[in-house]
Amino acid sequence: MTEPLAQGRVIGILGGGQLGRMLSVAAARLGYRCHVYDPAPHIPAADVAYAVTNAAWDDQAALTAFAAAVDVVTLEFENVPTAALDLLEPLCPVRPGRKALAVSQDRLAEKTFLRDLGLQTAPFAAVDRAEDLAQALGQIGAPAILKTRRMGYDGKGQVRLESADDIASAWAAMQGAPAILEGVVPFTHEISVIAARGSDGAVAAFDPGENLHKSGILRETRVPARLGAGQRTDAILMAANILNALDYVGVLGVEIFVTPQALVVNEIAPRVHNSGHWTQNGCAVDQFEQHIRAVAGLPLGDGQRHSDVTMTNLIGDDMDKLPDLLRAPGTALHLYGKPDIRAGRKMGHVNRITPLRG
Ligand code: AMP
């Protein structure tokens, strides 16, 4: 168990988007100050953080000064370049650590890690060259999804193959990047488990949420998810298993496909997660506070849910609905302070709470 971080200490956050913003607010509630590092100039976290460094991921002087100014480093963005972490790690504790990032930055390493843990994944094969794709499709069968191994999010860097006729165009879409081919999982619905592990190894999971995506972007998370009691337990145990195997400290999101036969893990996110925003109004201790508690070496909250919740993302023109949302009963609004509204851009979210059923 790490010594708890004293009041007034500084938590460094790599990335200053909306997740960094909500982490900074949670840290302030616990008496800490956040210093955010982000290459972009106008970032949502800057409105609420104690300090901001606006510098590139390869700016060694800025990274060194950042490490000297903070007591512990965490992140809200898993694609922080490895070289930046190499520089930071000897100077300052980084939580969660390198292993979780290495696994989640590369879809092939991630799927291999999950399979080796005994968890079910979609069938997959590495595709490094055009020739590999025909062979992989022969092995996995159509339909299948070709994804870049690195830097994919919100369905970006993905192409669906309906048959061998799509091989040439799908490979061209990867633009030479190493890829992974996955079999299409015939899921009935998608869920995620948001769970935390403390520096003492204790684990606390939130109830699984059910996720609805549109155009590859999360639209809505509903809690409780449609799951039997046994499936719910299995989903939570999967997350706990992953946290322990990574010797993880902090909050992790696990995305899972539900099929009539099995729970199939899609991917993991080594950070607080959009599908965990419902916890802000559904639990006494939300995912942001839970993450800060873990990173600061404090005991975790219990993750207990006091309400049913529907979280809806406000994307682009959804902001036109604000006047109605402000009048809606049982509805909490969380905006990210982004000045310009753009199509596909996450501007905020709302949590609508209703009494626990049953
Ligand atoms: P990802 O970027 O891997 O999270 O994928 C984005 C979305 O694409 C998922 O939430 C699913 O809706 C869909 N998807 C990704 N991989 C698969 C798969 N192997 N089988 C079925 N649907 C998938």
Side-chain angles (χ1 to χ4, degrees):
M1 172 92 191
T2 320
E3 271 296 296
L5 205 60
Q7 291 286 294
R9 294 290 173 151
V10 181
I11 298 174
I13 304 178
L14 301 174
Q18 58 265 21
L19 302 178
R21 176 182 174 102
M22 293 183 276
L23 283 169
S24 298
V25 171
R29 279 199 279 109
L30 292 176
Y32 299 120
R33 298 184 283 180
C34 285
H35 184 151
V36 169
Y37 190 109
D38 198 301
H42 304 292
I43 50 170
D47 296 343
V48 296
Y50 153 76
V52 177
T53 297
N54 181 213
W57 293 123
D58 61 359
D59 184 334
Q60 298 193 1
L63 285 166
T64 306
F66 173 73
V70 305
D71 296 287
V72 58
V73 171
T74 187
L75 48 111
E76 58 118 56
F77 165 69
E78 62 271 39
N79 290 316
V80 173
T82 321
L85 295 168
D86 286 340
L87 192 151
L88 291 172
E89 270 176 347
L91 304 175
C92 195
V94 180
R95 300 183 189 134
R98 168 59 57 87
K99 194 169 171 195
L101 288 176
V103 163
S104 63
Q105 283 183 348
D106 178 347
R107 289 185 192 275
L108 183 63
E110 180 178 53
K111 286 267 179 331
T112 307
F113 162 77
L114 294 166
R115 188 188 57 194
D116 291 350
L117 262 185
L119 303 178
Q120 191 163 332
T121 66
F124 64 93
V127 176
D128 293 327
R129 292 159 304 167
E131 307 84 85
D132 298 343
L133 184 51
Q135 199 193 343
L137 191 66
Q139 182 191 326
I140 286 167
I145 303 178
L146 188 64
K147 302 179 179 181
T148 52
R149 277 173 59 174
R150 290 178 174 274
M151 293 299 272
Y153 65 96
D154 283 351
K156 294 192 175 78
Q158 303 193 9
V159 188
R160 194 175 154 114
L161 290 90
E162 298 300 338
S163 72
D165 294 344
D166 297 331
I167 287 177
S169 59
W171 177 247
M174 297 296 109
Q175 300 181 326
I180 176 173
L181 187 73
E182 294 181 16
V184 170
V185 177
F187 60 80
T188 52
H189 50 296
E190 296 182 73
I191 62 162
S192 53
V193 178
I194 309 300
R197 187 169 178 274
S199 58
D200 58 352
V203 167
F206 295 106
D207 238 356
E210 182 167 333
N211 300 324
L212 296 174
H213 295 92
K214 218 157 103 187
S215 315
I217 302 180
L218 182 70
R219 289 279 152 173
E220 200 168 278
T221 300
R222 291 184 197 152
V223 192
R226 283 174 295 157
L227 291 174
Q231 286 176 311
R232 180 182 172 281
T233 304
D234 281 344
I236 289 171
L237 288 175
M238 280 175 156
N241 198 349
I242 293 167
L243 286 166
N244 269 344
L246 293 172
D247 196 18
Y248 196 90
V249 176
V251 164
L252 173 105
V254 184
E255 296 182 19
I256 298 170
F257 299 135
V258 182
T259 75
Q261 295 76 32
L263 297 177
V264 179
V265 185
N266 177 30
E267 62 180 5
I268 58 177
R271 52 172 168 77
V272 288
H273 196 256
N274 192 168
S275 69
H277 291 358
W278 66 268
T279 59
Q280 290 172 308
N281 300 99
C283 303
V285 173
D286 69 19
Q287 64 164 348
F288 301 100
E289 176 171 340
Q290 199 73 305
H291 185 73
I292 297 294
R293 284 182 182 225
V295 167
L298 299 176
L300 298 179
D302 65 7
Q304 185 80 20
R305 183 166 62 85
H306 57 64
S307 298
D308 289 354
V309 189
T310 299
M311 186 286 308
T312 308
N313 272 334
L314 300 175
I315 298 170
D317 289 343
D318 289 342
M319 291 293 275
D320 296 343
K321 299 176 193 156
L322 277 190
D324 289 341
L325 290 170
L326 283 165
R327 286 189 196 93
T331 302
L333 189 57
H334 300 262
L335 298 181
Y336 308 152
K338 296 181 183 175
D340 16 284
I341 299 175
R342 273 187 252 132
R345 192 173 204 208
K346 290 177 182 167
M347 307 298 298
H349 64 274
V350 289
N351 286 329
R352 180 160 183 274
I353 63 168
T354 49
L356 276 184
R357 271 175 284 162

